[in-house]
């Protein structure tokens, strides 16, 4: 059987959108599953859209997210160059071959003539005017240095069909397809030509790309057929939507992979989530490592209908990854975010701070806000002591805080740990004939001055340390 070879062919326009990354991911997953190869090709022939730095953005995003290509501009391979602007000679050669075979022709029409072909709606459609030029006329024009393009010669009658693996049979009437430009006057190919030549020469077996190419694919098939090349298998992917009406896009201000990473989403969660935007596994499983995706991914699971990007679901998944993450890994990833917290560098145990919030965040960017309270202690409303369900209020606090202070005071500095604080404080409710909440609620409020905190009274007392805890408890008691 033919080796499975898939490719991702982005244009370096400055932004690798989520839809692009999904296309890359599916190509990668399918190649992996089939023991084939996934390759990267840069489609940079439209120089007007070229954005500096976007090439490294593409490399970095793919590598960082684990979508590893076996061949590509920066890693090499047997089918290079993998950058279209370096393949000009190849396109020229094949454009000429296509002309020879009747699938294309030279066109010398100037802009003025093209403009004159506009219909009532302002749409101009080329009229095959230059198709009738003789070989001699063409030679003479070229010798005279007349600028030209090479156009595809599409039959005027009949129709063209192919079967897309997702959308099924697609048929387009030949009369509805234009004789589009394949090679521009500067010798650069258009996408419409380069994709065919490259996919063939790079031995691509499965073309995976967005639905915007679904209806132009019959044009490409005309070329495959005319060259006598085998057509690839086509898999067009439905768009990813922001909501029911709008596509996810840079123009709409929607996040790229890098934006999401910067926002503190866990990258494995991003990839996991993107995999599910248009593909469904056979089971109800939702959390997939990249390796599991490599094993479970299947083309049959790709859906026809557009999927909506749901930040809430992504957040949930990211939170699950954080909860399940090994501590060391979590510390390394979370530290840059912890550094933005007011509590950072104030003598607290960094690991304890991070563990305090580990099960309480969905993105790492939530860390500073969750921990800032540690540095914001000061005046607060004593009404916070009132909690109906726990049957506690200011007067309970006034009675219990001195006892709590006494217990904390009595723990020797070197034995001051979470467990010890817990065990000693937990003797109080019985001793004072109180409910747990009547001790713990006032203790937490007195330590934090906040209605809610990540972590309870013991965790706070532990993180704050003995001295700071006593300082705060006394401060709060004196205000009662
Ligand atoms: N350069 C095209 C794009 O960025 C690639 C389409 C394809 O995969 O064939 O949309």
């Amino acid at each position: 059987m033919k080796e499975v070879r898939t490719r991702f062919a982005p244009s370096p326009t400055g932004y690798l959108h989520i839809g692009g990354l999904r296309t890359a991911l599916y190509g990668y997953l399918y190649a992996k599953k089939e023991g084939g190869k996934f390759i990267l090709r840069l489609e940079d022939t439209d120089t007007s859209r070229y954005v500096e730095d976007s090439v490294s953005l593409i490399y970095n995003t793919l590598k960082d997210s684990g979508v590893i290509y076996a061949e590509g501009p920066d890693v090499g391979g047997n089918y290079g160059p993998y950058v279209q602007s370096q393949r000009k000679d190849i396109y020229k050669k094949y454009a000429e071959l296509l002309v020879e075979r009747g699938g294309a022709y030279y066109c010398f029409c100037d802009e003025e003539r093209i403009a004159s072909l506009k219909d009532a709606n302002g749409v101009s459609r080329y009229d095959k005017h230059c198709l009738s030029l003789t070989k001699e006329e063409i030679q003479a024009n070229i010798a005279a240095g007349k600028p030209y393009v090479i156009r595809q010669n599409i039959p005027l009658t009949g129709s063209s069909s192919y079967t897309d693996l997702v959308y099924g049979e697609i048929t387009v009437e030949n009369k509805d397809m234009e004789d589009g430009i394949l090679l521009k006057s500067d010798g650069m190919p258009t996408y419409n030509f380069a994709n065919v030549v490259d996919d063939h020469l790079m031995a691509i077996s499965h073309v995976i790309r967005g639905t915007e190419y679904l209806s132009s694919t019959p044009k490409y098939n005309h070329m495959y057929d005319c060259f006598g090349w085998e057509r690839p298998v086509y898999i067009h992917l439905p768009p990813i939507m922001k909501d029911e009406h709008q596509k996810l896009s840079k123009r709409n201000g929607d996040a790229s992979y890098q934006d999401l990473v910067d926002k503190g989403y866990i990258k494995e969660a991003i990839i996991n989530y993107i995999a599910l935007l248009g593909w469904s596994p056979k089971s109800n499983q939702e959390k997939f490592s990249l390796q599991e995706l490599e094993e479970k991914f299947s083309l049959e699971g790709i859906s026809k209908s557009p999927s909506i990007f749901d930040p809430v679901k992504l957040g949930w998944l990211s939170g699950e990854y954080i909860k399940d993450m090994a501590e060391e890994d979590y510390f390394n990833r979370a530290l840059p975010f912890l550094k933005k917290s007011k509590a950072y560098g104030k003598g607290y145990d960094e690991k304890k701070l991070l563990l305090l919030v580990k099960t309480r965040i969905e993105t790492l960017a939530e860390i500073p806000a969750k921990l800032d309270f540690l540095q914001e202690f000061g005046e607060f409303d004593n009404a916070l002591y009132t909690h109906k369900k726990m049957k506690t209020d200011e007067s309970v606090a006034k009675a219990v805080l001195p006892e709590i202070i006494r217990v904390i005071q009595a723990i020797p500095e070197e034995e001051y740990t979470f467990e010890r604080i817990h065990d000693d404080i937990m003797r109080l409710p019985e001793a004072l004939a109180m409910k747990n909440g009547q001790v713990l609620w006032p203790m937490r409020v007195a330590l934090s001055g906040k209605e809610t905190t990540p972590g309870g009274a013991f965790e706070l007392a532990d993180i704050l340390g003995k001295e700071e805890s006593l300082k705060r408890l006394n401060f709060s008691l004196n205000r009662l």
Side-chain angles (χ1 to χ4, degrees), residues 30-44:
Y30 185 60
K32 271 273 165 188
K33 171 120 190 250
E34 299 297 320
K37 290 226 163 70
F38 169 66
I39 76 167
L40 174 67
R41 174 173 81 225
L42 291 179
E43 306 213 322
D44 62 343

Side-chain angles (χ1 to χ4, degrees), residues 64-303:
D64 189 56
S65 61
V67 180
I68 305 300
Y69 40 97
E71 296 167 29
D74 57 335
V75 298
N78 293 333
Y79 298 81
Y82 295 91
V83 180
Q84 288 187 331
S85 60
Q86 296 168 17
R87 299 170 64 80
K88 253 176 112 171
D89 294 346
I90 301 175
Y91 304 122
K92 185 168 190 307
K93 180 177 136 196
Y94 283 97
E96 285 164 1
L97 182 64
L98 200 62
V99 170
E100 245 170 69
R101 291 176 167 249
Y105 56 93
Y106 289 88
C107 171
F108 298 90
C109 291
D110 56 19
E111 272 175 43
E112 214 177 307
R113 175 152 201 286
I114 301 288
S116 74
L117 298 172
K118 278 197 183 126
D119 65 13
N121 299 321
V123 183
S124 71
R125 196 189 155 91
Y126 191 66
D127 58 358
K128 290 189 186 276
H129 176 76
C130 287
L131 184 57
S132 56
L133 293 176
T134 62
K135 262 211 163 102
E136 292 69 34
E137 284 171 316
I138 293 168
Q139 286 309 330
N141 278 343
I142 293 176
K146 247 188 149 180
Y148 66 84
V149 299
I150 290 183
R151 286 185 185 273
Q152 186 172 8
N153 183 20
I154 299 204
L156 287 167
T157 56
S159 62
S160 312
S161 301
Y162 73 101
T163 305
D164 180 86
L165 238 46
V166 176
Y167 289 88
E169 172 139 321
I170 305 292
T171 301
V172 177
E173 296 298 320
N174 288 335
K175 66 172 171 45
D176 293 335
M177 291 185 274
E178 210 204 350
D179 282 3
I181 295 174
L182 303 180
L183 207 67
K184 294 183 275 190
S185 53
D186 61 1
M188 278 292 198
T190 55
Y191 167 79
N192 289 338
F193 186 51
N195 90 86
V196 172
V197 172
D198 289 346
D199 284 339
H200 172 72
L201 294 181
M202 294 179 183
I204 300 305
S205 61
H206 294 69
V207 166
I208 303 178
R209 64 185 165 208
T211 39
E212 58 269 38
Y213 300 99
L214 190 65
S215 60
S216 45
T217 295
K219 287 194 214 177
Y220 313 147
N221 286 333
H222 275 298
M223 288 187 253
Y224 280 99
D225 298 350
C226 188
F227 278 123
W229 296 341
E230 190 184 338
R231 298 178 185 181
V233 176
Y234 293 107
I235 296 128
H236 287 95
L237 304 177
I240 301 177
M241 311 293 285
K242 179 195 182 77
D243 52 40
E244 264 172 51
H245 307 289
Q246 297 182 83
K247 262 175 89 166
L248 205 64
S249 76
K250 182 186 185 181
R251 213 174 314 135
N252 289 335
D254 298 318
S256 68
Y257 169 82
Q258 195 52 51
D259 294 334
L260 294 173
V261 172
D262 293 345
K263 285 184 182 170
Y265 290 95
I266 299 303
K267 56 190 179 188
E268 288 84 346
I270 303 173
I271 284 295
N272 185 160
Y273 182 61
I274 288 179
L276 299 175
L277 281 174
W279 170 76
S280 323
K282 291 202 182 80
S283 65
N284 292 331
Q285 187 179 346
E286 292 194 285
K287 190 168 176 254
F288 290 92
S289 66
L290 189 57
Q291 200 190 335
E292 283 176 295
L293 289 171
E294 288 168 16
E295 288 157 17
K296 305 242 162 87
F297 184 77
S298 69
L299 297 177
E300 300 79 64
I302 298 177
S303 133

Side-chain angles (χ1 to χ4, degrees), residues 416-432:
Y416 190 82
T417 61
F418 175 90
E419 288 73 25
R420 180 67 186 271
I421 301 164
H422 172 271
D423 295 351
D424 289 5
I425 292 286
M426 283 312 274
R427 283 193 204 104
L428 282 178
E430 208 191 316
L432 302 171

